[in-house]
PDB file of all heavy atoms in Angstrom:
ATOM      1  N   HIS A   1     161.367 188.892  65.125  1.00 93.00           N
ATOM      2  CA  HIS A   1     161.782 190.005  65.982  1.00 93.00           C
ATOM      3  C   HIS A   1     162.468 189.453  67.227  1.00 93.00           C
ATOM      4  O   HIS A   1     161.903 188.597  67.943  1.00 93.00           O
ATOM      5  CB  HIS A   1     160.580 190.851  66.389  1.00 93.00           C
ATOM      6  CG  HIS A   1     160.899 192.239  66.848  1.00 93.00           C
ATOM      7  ND1 HIS A   1     161.616 192.479  68.036  1.00 93.00           N
ATOM      8  CD2 HIS A   1     160.642 193.454  66.338  1.00 93.00           C
ATOM      9  CE1 HIS A   1     161.765 193.772  68.206  1.00 93.00           C
ATOM     10  NE2 HIS A   1     161.170 194.399  67.178  1.00 93.00           N
ATOM     11  N   ARG A   2     163.699 189.902  67.498  1.00 90.00           N
ATOM     12  CA  ARG A   2     164.444 189.350  68.618  1.00 90.00           C
ATOM     13  C   ARG A   2     163.762 189.610  69.952  1.00 90.00           C
ATOM     14  O   ARG A   2     163.889 188.801  70.901  1.00 90.00           O
ATOM     15  CB  ARG A   2     165.858 189.925  68.607  1.00 90.00           C
ATOM     16  CG  ARG A   2     166.747 189.423  67.463  1.00 90.00           C
ATOM     17  CD  ARG A   2     167.133 187.953  67.676  1.00 90.00           C
ATOM     18  NE  ARG A   2     168.167 187.780  68.664  1.00 90.00           N
ATOM     19  CZ  ARG A   2     169.441 187.573  68.400  1.00 90.00           C
ATOM     20  NH1 ARG A   2     169.868 187.487  67.147  1.00 90.00           N
ATOM     21  NH2 ARG A   2     170.330 187.414  69.360  1.00 90.00           N
ATOM     22  N   ASP A   3     163.085 190.734  70.106  1.00 91.00           N
ATOM     23  CA  ASP A   3     162.448 191.036  71.393  1.00 91.00           C
ATOM     24  C   ASP A   3     161.201 190.184  71.627  1.00 91.00           C
ATOM     25  O   ASP A   3     160.819 189.989  72.798  1.00 91.00           O
ATOM     26  CB  ASP A   3     162.086 192.527  71.462  1.00 91.00           C
ATOM     27  CG  ASP A   3     163.235 193.362  71.971  1.00 91.00           C
ATOM     28  OD1 ASP A   3     164.211 192.776  72.466  1.00 91.00           O
ATOM     29  OD2 ASP A   3     163.153 194.610  71.873  1.00 91.00           O
ATOM     30  N   ILE A   4     160.598 189.679  70.550  1.00 91.00           N
ATOM     31  CA  ILE A   4     159.517 188.693  70.764  1.00 91.00           C
ATOM     32  C   ILE A   4     160.109 187.434  71.346  1.00 91.00           C
ATOM     33  O   ILE A   4     159.609 186.879  72.335  1.00 91.00           O
ATOM     34  CB  ILE A   4     158.780 188.402  69.454  1.00 91.00           C
ATOM     35  CG1 ILE A   4     158.043 189.674  68.969  1.00 91.00           C
ATOM     36  CG2 ILE A   4     157.805 187.272  69.639  1.00 91.00           C
ATOM     37  CD1 ILE A   4     157.322 189.490  67.638  1.00 91.00           C
ATOM     38  N   LEU A   5     161.210 186.974  70.782  1.00 87.00           N
ATOM     39  CA  LEU A   5     161.882 185.771  71.282  1.00 87.00           C
ATOM     40  C   LEU A   5     162.347 185.946  72.717  1.00 87.00           C
ATOM     41  O   LEU A   5     162.075 185.126  73.592  1.00 87.00           O
ATOM     42  CB  LEU A   5     163.064 185.389  70.383  1.00 87.00           C
ATOM     43  CG  LEU A   5     162.742 185.015  68.920  1.00 87.00           C
ATOM     44  CD1 LEU A   5     164.026 184.884  68.145  1.00 87.00           C
ATOM     45  CD2 LEU A   5     161.935 183.754  68.888  1.00 87.00           C
ATOM     46  N   GLY A   6     163.045 187.051  72.961  1.00 88.00           N
ATOM     47  CA  GLY A   6     163.561 187.338  74.300  1.00 88.00           C
ATOM     48  C   GLY A   6     162.443 187.527  75.309  1.00 88.00           C
ATOM     49  O   GLY A   6     162.528 187.006  76.459  1.00 88.00           O
ATOM     50  N   GLY A   7     161.375 188.222  74.909  1.00 89.00           N
ATOM     51  CA  GLY A   7     160.268 188.463  75.816  1.00 89.00           C
ATOM     52  C   GLY A   7     159.528 187.205  76.170  1.00 89.00           C
ATOM     53  O   GLY A   7     159.116 186.988  77.336  1.00 89.00           O
ATOM     54  N   LEU A   8     159.360 186.294  75.199  1.00 90.00           N
ATOM     55  CA  LEU A   8     158.693 185.026  75.491  1.00 90.00           C
ATOM     56  C   LEU A   8     159.552 184.191  76.430  1.00 90.00           C
ATOM     57  O   LEU A   8     159.025 183.557  77.389  1.00 90.00           O
ATOM     58  CB  LEU A   8     158.460 184.266  74.192  1.00 90.00           C
ATOM     59  CG  LEU A   8     157.378 184.824  73.239  1.00 90.00           C
ATOM     60  CD1 LEU A   8     157.299 184.009  71.974  1.00 90.00           C
ATOM     61  CD2 LEU A   8     156.014 184.828  73.934  1.00 90.00           C
ATOM     62  N   LEU A   9     160.846 184.158  76.218  1.00 89.00           N
ATOM     63  CA  LEU A   9     161.720 183.379  77.094  1.00 89.00           C
ATOM     64  C   LEU A   9     161.676 183.922  78.539  1.00 89.00           C
ATOM     65  O   LEU A   9     161.630 183.135  79.488  1.00 89.00           O
ATOM     66  CB  LEU A   9     163.171 183.415  76.569  1.00 89.00           C
ATOM     67  CG  LEU A   9     163.417 182.614  75.288  1.00 89.00           C
ATOM     68  CD1 LEU A   9     164.760 183.015  74.669  1.00 89.00           C
ATOM     69  CD2 LEU A   9     163.445 181.092  75.619  1.00 89.00           C
ATOM     70  N   ASN A  10     161.657 185.226  78.672  1.00 88.00           N
ATOM     71  CA  ASN A  10     161.620 185.826  80.002  1.00 88.00           C
ATOM     72  C   ASN A  10     160.274 185.625  80.690  1.00 88.00           C
ATOM     73  O   ASN A  10     160.177 185.782  81.927  1.00 88.00           O
ATOM     74  CB  ASN A  10     161.946 187.303  79.927  1.00 88.00           C
ATOM     75  CG  ASN A  10     163.404 187.556  79.563  1.00 88.00           C
ATOM     76  OD1 ASN A  10     164.239 186.688  79.710  1.00 88.00           O
ATOM     77  ND2 ASN A  10     163.695 188.752  79.086  1.00 88.00           N
ATOM     78  N   ALA A  11     159.256 185.281  79.921  1.00 88.00           N
ATOM     79  CA  ALA A  11     157.924 185.084  80.494  1.00 88.00           C
ATOM     80  C   ALA A  11     157.813 183.750  81.234  1.00 88.00           C
ATOM     81  O   ALA A  11     156.873 183.570  82.022  1.00 88.00           O
ATOM     82  CB  ALA A  11     156.847 185.138  79.375  1.00 88.00           C
ATOM     83  N   PHE A  12     158.747 182.859  80.979  1.00 88.00           N
ATOM     84  CA  PHE A  12     158.741 181.568  81.711  1.00 88.00           C
ATOM     85  C   PHE A  12     159.378 181.729  83.074  1.00 88.00           C
ATOM     86  O   PHE A  12     160.283 182.532  83.243  1.00 88.00           O
ATOM     87  CB  PHE A  12     159.482 180.499  80.898  1.00 88.00           C
ATOM     88  CG  PHE A  12     158.745 180.034  79.668  1.00 88.00           C
ATOM     89  CD1 PHE A  12     159.046 180.565  78.452  1.00 88.00           C
ATOM     90  CD2 PHE A  12     157.759 179.087  79.767  1.00 88.00           C
ATOM     91  CE1 PHE A  12     158.372 180.168  77.313  1.00 88.00           C
ATOM     92  CE2 PHE A  12     157.090 178.646  78.640  1.00 88.00           C
ATOM     93  CZ  PHE A  12     157.406 179.187  77.377  1.00 88.00           C
ATOM     94  N   ASP A  13     158.889 180.950  84.027  1.00 82.00           N
ATOM     95  CA  ASP A  13     159.445 180.978  85.374  1.00 82.00           C
ATOM     96  C   ASP A  13     160.704 180.122  85.380  1.00 82.00           C
ATOM     97  O   ASP A  13     160.717 178.958  85.801  1.00 82.00           O
ATOM     98  CB  ASP A  13     158.415 180.418  86.374  1.00 82.00           C
ATOM     99  CG  ASP A  13     158.928 180.496  87.800  1.00 82.00           C
ATOM    100  OD1 ASP A  13     159.881 181.252  88.054  1.00 82.00           O
ATOM    101  OD2 ASP A  13     158.372 179.789  88.675  1.00 82.00           O
ATOM    102  N   ALA A  14     161.792 180.726  84.848  1.00 84.00           N
ATOM    103  CA  ALA A  14     163.046 179.984  84.739  1.00 84.00           C
ATOM    104  C   ALA A  14     164.208 180.968  84.599  1.00 84.00           C
ATOM    105  O   ALA A  14     164.018 182.121  84.189  1.00 84.00           O
ATOM    106  CB  ALA A  14     163.015 179.036  83.516  1.00 84.00           C
ATOM    107  N   ASP A  15     165.371 180.527  84.992  1.00 89.00           N
ATOM    108  CA  ASP A  15     166.567 181.348  84.850  1.00 89.00           C
ATOM    109  C   ASP A  15     167.201 180.999  83.478  1.00 89.00           C
ATOM    110  O   ASP A  15     168.012 180.092  83.355  1.00 89.00           O
ATOM    111  CB  ASP A  15     167.571 181.026  85.977  1.00 89.00           C
ATOM    112  CG  ASP A  15     168.823 181.907  85.916  1.00 89.00           C
ATOM    113  OD1 ASP A  15     168.772 182.926  85.186  1.00 89.00           O
ATOM    114  OD2 ASP A  15     169.816 181.559  86.578  1.00 89.00           O
ATOM    115  N   VAL A  16     166.785 181.790  82.461  1.00 85.00           N
ATOM    116  CA  VAL A  16     167.147 181.469  81.091  1.00 85.00           C
ATOM    117  C   VAL A  16     168.292 182.340  80.603  1.00 85.00           C
ATOM    118  O   VAL A  16     168.265 183.571  80.798  1.00 85.00           O
ATOM    119  CB  VAL A  16     165.922 181.669  80.159  1.00 85.00           C
ATOM    120  CG1 VAL A  16     166.296 181.290  78.715  1.00 85.00           C
ATOM    121  CG2 VAL A  16     164.749 180.823  80.626  1.00 85.00           C
ATOM    122  N   ASP A  17     169.266 181.729  79.963  1.00 87.00           N
ATOM    123  CA  ASP A  17     170.287 182.450  79.236  1.00 87.00           C
ATOM    124  C   ASP A  17     169.689 182.778  77.861  1.00 87.00           C
ATOM    125  O   ASP A  17     169.666 181.965  76.924  1.00 87.00           O
ATOM    126  CB  ASP A  17     171.538 181.588  79.047  1.00 87.00           C
ATOM    127  CG  ASP A  17     172.680 182.318  78.353  1.00 87.00           C
ATOM    128  OD1 ASP A  17     172.398 183.280  77.635  1.00 87.00           O
ATOM    129  OD2 ASP A  17     173.850 181.887  78.511  1.00 87.00           O
ATOM    130  N   THR A  18     169.126 184.004  77.739  1.00 83.00           N
ATOM    131  CA  THR A  18     168.356 184.380  76.574  1.00 83.00           C
ATOM    132  C   THR A  18     169.158 184.253  75.269  1.00 83.00           C
ATOM    133  O   THR A  18     168.679 183.672  74.279  1.00 83.00           O
ATOM    134  CB  THR A  18     167.837 185.822  76.715  1.00 83.00           C
ATOM    135  OG1 THR A  18     167.019 185.889  77.892  1.00 83.00           O
ATOM    136  CG2 THR A  18     166.989 186.221  75.509  1.00 83.00           C
ATOM    137  N   GLU A  19     170.381 184.788  75.260  1.00 84.00           N
ATOM    138  CA  GLU A  19     171.163 184.741  74.027  1.00 84.00           C
ATOM    139  C   GLU A  19     171.496 183.297  73.632  1.00 84.00           C
ATOM    140  O   GLU A  19     171.469 182.953  72.440  1.00 84.00           O
ATOM    141  CB  GLU A  19     172.446 185.577  74.185  1.00 84.00           C
ATOM    142  CG  GLU A  19     172.186 187.062  74.360  1.00 84.00           C
ATOM    143  CD  GLU A  19     171.451 187.678  73.171  1.00 84.00           C
ATOM    144  OE1 GLU A  19     171.538 187.105  72.065  1.00 84.00           O
ATOM    145  OE2 GLU A  19     170.782 188.701  73.339  1.00 84.00           O
ATOM    146  N   ALA A  20     171.795 182.449  74.620  1.00 87.00           N
ATOM    147  CA  ALA A  20     172.086 181.064  74.312  1.00 87.00           C
ATOM    148  C   ALA A  20     170.850 180.369  73.732  1.00 87.00           C
ATOM    149  O   ALA A  20     170.952 179.576  72.787  1.00 87.00           O
ATOM    150  CB  ALA A  20     172.556 180.323  75.577  1.00 87.00           C
ATOM    151  N   ALA A  21     169.680 180.665  74.319  1.00 87.00           N
ATOM    152  CA  ALA A  21     168.438 180.066  73.800  1.00 87.00           C
ATOM    153  C   ALA A  21     168.153 180.517  72.377  1.00 87.00           C
ATOM    154  O   ALA A  21     167.728 179.735  71.531  1.00 87.00           O
ATOM    155  CB  ALA A  21     167.279 180.435  74.744  1.00 87.00           C
ATOM    156  N   ILE A  22     168.387 181.801  72.091  1.00 84.00           N
ATOM    157  CA  ILE A  22     168.139 182.314  70.754  1.00 84.00           C
ATOM    158  C   ILE A  22     169.095 181.672  69.734  1.00 84.00           C
ATOM    159  O   ILE A  22     168.705 181.344  68.620  1.00 84.00           O
ATOM    160  CB  ILE A  22     168.267 183.858  70.732  1.00 84.00           C
ATOM    161  CG1 ILE A  22     167.066 184.482  71.472  1.00 84.00           C
ATOM    162  CG2 ILE A  22     168.360 184.386  69.313  1.00 84.00           C
ATOM    163  CD1 ILE A  22     167.137 185.965  71.596  1.00 84.00           C
ATOM    164  N   ARG A  23     170.344 181.412  70.162  1.00 87.00           N
ATOM    165  CA  ARG A  23     171.259 180.742  69.253  1.00 87.00           C
ATOM    166  C   ARG A  23     170.782 179.317  68.963  1.00 87.00           C
ATOM    167  O   ARG A  23     170.976 178.793  67.878  1.00 87.00           O
ATOM    168  CB  ARG A  23     172.665 180.713  69.880  1.00 87.00           C
ATOM    169  CG  ARG A  23     173.373 182.068  69.817  1.00 87.00           C
ATOM    170  CD  ARG A  23     174.832 181.920  70.104  1.00 87.00           C
ATOM    171  NE  ARG A  23     175.088 181.578  71.483  1.00 87.00           N
ATOM    172  CZ  ARG A  23     175.245 182.437  72.472  1.00 87.00           C
ATOM    173  NH1 ARG A  23     175.150 183.728  72.225  1.00 87.00           N
ATOM    174  NH2 ARG A  23     175.515 182.041  73.720  1.00 87.00           N
ATOM    175  N   VAL A  24     170.139 178.675  69.949  1.00 89.00           N
ATOM    176  CA  VAL A  24     169.575 177.338  69.719  1.00 89.00           C
ATOM    177  C   VAL A  24     168.407 177.442  68.748  1.00 89.00           C
ATOM    178  O   VAL A  24     168.298 176.614  67.793  1.00 89.00           O
ATOM    179  CB  VAL A  24     169.109 176.727  71.064  1.00 89.00           C
ATOM    180  CG1 VAL A  24     168.374 175.403  70.804  1.00 89.00           C
ATOM    181  CG2 VAL A  24     170.288 176.449  72.006  1.00 89.00           C
ATOM    182  N   VAL A  25     167.550 178.422  68.893  1.00 85.00           N
ATOM    183  CA  VAL A  25     166.428 178.637  67.982  1.00 85.00           C
ATOM    184  C   VAL A  25     166.960 178.812  66.542  1.00 85.00           C
ATOM    185  O   VAL A  25     166.373 178.292  65.592  1.00 85.00           O
ATOM    186  CB  VAL A  25     165.550 179.822  68.420  1.00 85.00           C
ATOM    187  CG1 VAL A  25     164.493 180.116  67.356  1.00 85.00           C
ATOM    188  CG2 VAL A  25     164.907 179.540  69.756  1.00 85.00           C
ATOM    189  N   ASP A  26     168.060 179.534  66.422  1.00 84.00           N
ATOM    190  CA  ASP A  26     168.631 179.788  65.105  1.00 84.00           C
ATOM    191  C   ASP A  26     169.044 178.488  64.408  1.00 84.00           C
ATOM    192  O   ASP A  26     169.053 178.408  63.188  1.00 84.00           O
ATOM    193  CB  ASP A  26     169.847 180.716  65.243  1.00 84.00           C
ATOM    194  CG  ASP A  26     170.438 181.112  63.911  1.00 84.00           C
ATOM    195  OD1 ASP A  26     169.666 181.658  63.070  1.00 84.00           O
ATOM    196  OD2 ASP A  26     171.625 180.886  63.693  1.00 84.00           O
ATOM    197  N   LYS A  27     169.325 177.446  65.198  1.00 85.00           N
ATOM    198  CA  LYS A  27     169.755 176.170  64.632  1.00 85.00           C
ATOM    199  C   LYS A  27     168.574 175.196  64.453  1.00 85.00           C
ATOM    200  O   LYS A  27     168.800 174.039  64.046  1.00 85.00           O
ATOM    201  CB  LYS A  27     170.803 175.513  65.536  1.00 85.00           C
ATOM    202  CG  LYS A  27     172.059 176.345  65.754  1.00 85.00           C
ATOM    203  CD  LYS A  27     173.005 175.656  66.736  1.00 85.00           C
ATOM    204  CE  LYS A  27     174.207 176.486  67.050  1.00 85.00           C
ATOM    205  NZ  LYS A  27     175.066 175.847  68.079  1.00 85.00           N
ATOM    206  N   ARG A  28     167.388 175.626  64.750  1.00 88.00           N
ATOM    207  CA  ARG A  28     166.229 174.729  64.841  1.00 88.00           C
ATOM    208  C   ARG A  28     166.029 173.845  63.603  1.00 88.00           C
ATOM    209  O   ARG A  28     165.745 172.654  63.695  1.00 88.00           O
ATOM    210  CB  ARG A  28     164.965 175.565  65.082  1.00 88.00           C
ATOM    211  CG  ARG A  28     163.677 174.748  65.270  1.00 88.00           C
ATOM    212  CD  ARG A  28     162.542 175.693  65.530  1.00 88.00           C
ATOM    213  NE  ARG A  28     161.294 175.031  65.824  1.00 88.00           N
ATOM    214  CZ  ARG A  28     160.397 174.705  64.883  1.00 88.00           C
ATOM    215  NH1 ARG A  28     160.647 174.978  63.601  1.00 88.00           N
ATOM    216  NH2 ARG A  28     159.280 174.116  65.236  1.00 88.00           N
ATOM    217  N   GLU A  29     166.194 174.455  62.427  1.00 81.00           N
ATOM    218  CA  GLU A  29     165.954 173.712  61.184  1.00 81.00           C
ATOM    219  C   GLU A  29     167.116 172.806  60.795  1.00 81.00           C
ATOM    220  O   GLU A  29     167.014 172.018  59.866  1.00 81.00           O
ATOM    221  CB  GLU A  29     165.665 174.683  60.047  1.00 81.00           C
ATOM    222  CG  GLU A  29     164.477 175.600  60.281  1.00 81.00           C
ATOM    223  CD  GLU A  29     163.188 174.828  60.472  1.00 81.00           C
ATOM    224  OE1 GLU A  29     163.028 173.797  59.788  1.00 81.00           O
ATOM    225  OE2 GLU A  29     162.367 175.243  61.308  1.00 81.00           O
ATOM    226  N   LYS A  30     168.246 172.966  61.489  1.00 82.00           N
ATOM    227  CA  LYS A  30     169.461 172.249  61.067  1.00 82.00           C
ATOM    228  C   LYS A  30     169.787 171.061  61.981  1.00 82.00           C
ATOM    229  O   LYS A  30     170.688 170.269  61.654  1.00 82.00           O
ATOM    230  CB  LYS A  30     170.650 173.195  61.085  1.00 82.00           C
ATOM    231  CG  LYS A  30     170.437 174.479  60.293  1.00 82.00           C
ATOM    232  CD  LYS A  30     171.543 175.482  60.573  1.00 82.00           C
ATOM    233  CE  LYS A  30     171.236 176.824  59.960  1.00 82.00           C
ATOM    234  NZ  LYS A  30     172.224 177.856  60.305  1.00 82.00           N
ATOM    235  N   ILE A  31     169.078 170.898  63.121  1.00 87.00           N
ATOM    236  CA  ILE A  31     169.403 169.855  64.068  1.00 87.00           C
ATOM    237  C   ILE A  31     168.163 169.048  64.370  1.00 87.00           C
ATOM    238  O   ILE A  31     167.041 169.435  64.103  1.00 87.00           O
ATOM    239  CB  ILE A  31     169.995 170.456  65.362  1.00 87.00           C
ATOM    240  CG1 ILE A  31     168.989 171.424  66.019  1.00 87.00           C
ATOM    241  CG2 ILE A  31     171.306 171.161  65.090  1.00 87.00           C
ATOM    242  CD1 ILE A  31     169.492 172.006  67.340  1.00 87.00           C
ATOM    243  N   GLU A  32     168.414 167.839  64.952  1.00 90.00           N
ATOM    244  CA  GLU A  32     167.307 166.981  65.335  1.00 90.00           C
ATOM    245  C   GLU A  32     166.510 167.619  66.503  1.00 90.00           C
ATOM    246  O   GLU A  32     167.055 168.411  67.276  1.00 90.00           O
ATOM    247  CB  GLU A  32     167.810 165.616  65.789  1.00 90.00           C
ATOM    248  CG  GLU A  32     168.514 164.815  64.690  1.00 90.00           C
ATOM    249  CD  GLU A  32     167.563 164.426  63.580  1.00 90.00           C
ATOM    250  OE1 GLU A  32     166.348 164.228  63.881  1.00 90.00           O
ATOM    251  OE2 GLU A  32     168.020 164.323  62.437  1.00 90.00           O
ATOM    252  N   ARG A  33     165.227 167.274  66.584  1.00 90.00           N
ATOM    253  CA  ARG A  33     164.388 167.906  67.600  1.00 90.00           C
ATOM    254  C   ARG A  33     164.894 167.631  69.021  1.00 90.00           C
ATOM    255  O   ARG A  33     164.865 168.520  69.888  1.00 90.00           O
ATOM    256  CB  ARG A  33     162.922 167.419  67.472  1.00 90.00           C
ATOM    257  CG  ARG A  33     161.987 168.130  68.470  1.00 90.00           C
ATOM    258  CD  ARG A  33     160.543 167.960  68.110  1.00 90.00           C
ATOM    259  NE  ARG A  33     159.687 168.657  69.087  1.00 90.00           N
ATOM    260  CZ  ARG A  33     159.426 169.960  69.045  1.00 90.00           C
ATOM    261  NH1 ARG A  33     160.010 170.711  68.124  1.00 90.00           N
ATOM    262  NH2 ARG A  33     158.634 170.494  69.934  1.00 90.00           N
ATOM    263  N   ALA A  34     165.365 166.421  69.269  1.00 90.00           N
ATOM    264  CA  ALA A  34     165.885 166.118  70.589  1.00 90.00           C
ATOM    265  C   ALA A  34     167.068 167.006  70.942  1.00 90.00           C
ATOM    266  O   ALA A  34     167.167 167.511  72.066  1.00 90.00           O
ATOM    267  CB  ALA A  34     166.288 164.625  70.663  1.00 90.00           C
ATOM    268  N   GLU A  35     167.940 167.209  69.989  1.00 92.00           N
ATOM    269  CA  GLU A  35     169.099 168.084  70.223  1.00 92.00           C
ATOM    270  C   GLU A  35     168.641 169.534  70.449  1.00 92.00           C
ATOM    271  O   GLU A  35     169.186 170.265  71.263  1.00 92.00           O
ATOM    272  CB  GLU A  35     170.049 168.006  69.043  1.00 92.00           C
ATOM    273  CG  GLU A  35     171.323 168.841  69.223  1.00 92.00           C
ATOM    274  CD  GLU A  35     172.251 168.762  68.047  1.00 92.00           C
ATOM    275  OE1 GLU A  35     171.974 167.965  67.107  1.00 92.00           O
ATOM    276  OE2 GLU A  35     173.254 169.495  68.018  1.00 92.00           O
ATOM    277  N   TYR A  36     167.616 169.915  69.692  1.00 89.00           N
ATOM    278  CA  TYR A  36     167.037 171.260  69.832  1.00 89.00           C
ATOM    279  C   TYR A  36     166.478 171.470  71.249  1.00 89.00           C
ATOM    280  O   TYR A  36     166.772 172.463  71.923  1.00 89.00           O
ATOM    281  CB  TYR A  36     165.953 171.433  68.750  1.00 89.00           C
ATOM    282  CG  TYR A  36     165.108 172.678  68.917  1.00 89.00           C
ATOM    283  CD1 TYR A  36     165.621 173.954  68.775  1.00 89.00           C
ATOM    284  CD2 TYR A  36     163.723 172.546  69.160  1.00 89.00           C
ATOM    285  CE1 TYR A  36     164.804 175.074  68.879  1.00 89.00           C
ATOM    286  CE2 TYR A  36     162.900 173.633  69.278  1.00 89.00           C
ATOM    287  CZ  TYR A  36     163.444 174.913  69.145  1.00 89.00           C
ATOM    288  OH  TYR A  36     162.615 176.001  69.257  1.00 89.00           O
ATOM    289  N   LEU A  37     165.668 170.519  71.725  1.00 90.00           N
ATOM    290  CA  LEU A  37     165.085 170.638  73.054  1.00 90.00           C
ATOM    291  C   LEU A  37     166.180 170.551  74.119  1.00 90.00           C
ATOM    292  O   LEU A  37     166.091 171.271  75.139  1.00 90.00           O
ATOM    293  CB  LEU A  37     164.038 169.548  73.263  1.00 90.00           C
ATOM    294  CG  LEU A  37     162.804 169.651  72.357  1.00 90.00           C
ATOM    295  CD1 LEU A  37     161.875 168.438  72.572  1.00 90.00           C
ATOM    296  CD2 LEU A  37     162.036 170.949  72.607  1.00 90.00           C
ATOM    297  N   ASP A  38     167.176 169.724  73.884  1.00 90.00           N
ATOM    298  CA  ASP A  38     168.287 169.668  74.852  1.00 90.00           C
ATOM    299  C   ASP A  38     168.988 171.027  74.950  1.00 90.00           C
ATOM    300  O   ASP A  38     169.357 171.485  76.042  1.00 90.00           O
ATOM    301  CB  ASP A  38     169.310 168.587  74.399  1.00 90.00           C
ATOM    302  CG  ASP A  38     168.825 167.193  74.660  1.00 90.00           C
ATOM    303  OD1 ASP A  38     167.863 167.019  75.429  1.00 90.00           O
ATOM    304  OD2 ASP A  38     169.411 166.250  74.084  1.00 90.00           O
ATOM    305  N   GLY A  39     169.139 171.688  73.807  1.00 90.00           N
ATOM    306  CA  GLY A  39     169.789 172.995  73.823  1.00 90.00           C
ATOM    307  C   GLY A  39     169.005 174.016  74.584  1.00 90.00           C
ATOM    308  O   GLY A  39     169.565 174.835  75.338  1.00 90.00           O
ATOM    309  N   LEU A  40     167.668 174.025  74.413  1.00 91.00           N
ATOM    310  CA  LEU A  40     166.838 174.944  75.173  1.00 91.00           C
ATOM    311  C   LEU A  40     166.903 174.635  76.662  1.00 91.00           C
ATOM    312  O   LEU A  40     166.884 175.555  77.504  1.00 91.00           O
ATOM    313  CB  LEU A  40     165.393 174.888  74.670  1.00 91.00           C
ATOM    314  CG  LEU A  40     165.129 175.444  73.243  1.00 91.00           C
ATOM    315  CD1 LEU A  40     163.673 175.238  72.853  1.00 91.00           C
ATOM    316  CD2 LEU A  40     165.497 176.913  73.159  1.00 91.00           C
TER     317      LEU A  40
END
């Protein structure tokens, strides 16, 4: 559910680009973990 992802991101004390972060999550299985964390 996209609102679970967006809501969790907004729960952190950070200025998060939600859509950009979700696009990174969408690539999670296709990229190395370091690249994944860098994207977030």
Side-chain angles (χ1 to χ4, degrees):
H1 200 293
R2 289 290 283 258
D3 274 348
I4 294 178
L5 296 173
L8 289 176
L9 287 165
N10 291 341
F12 288 97
D13 183 18
D15 183 15
V16 181
D17 183 338
T18 302
E19 294 300 336
I22 289 177
R23 286 193 292 271
V24 173
V25 173
D26 185 55
K27 300 175 184 177
R28 182 178 184 270
E29 302 299 323
K30 308 169 189 174
I31 59 179
E32 296 294 330
R33 183 164 181 81
E35 183 181 354
Y36 169 67
L37 294 176
D38 285 344
L40 291 176

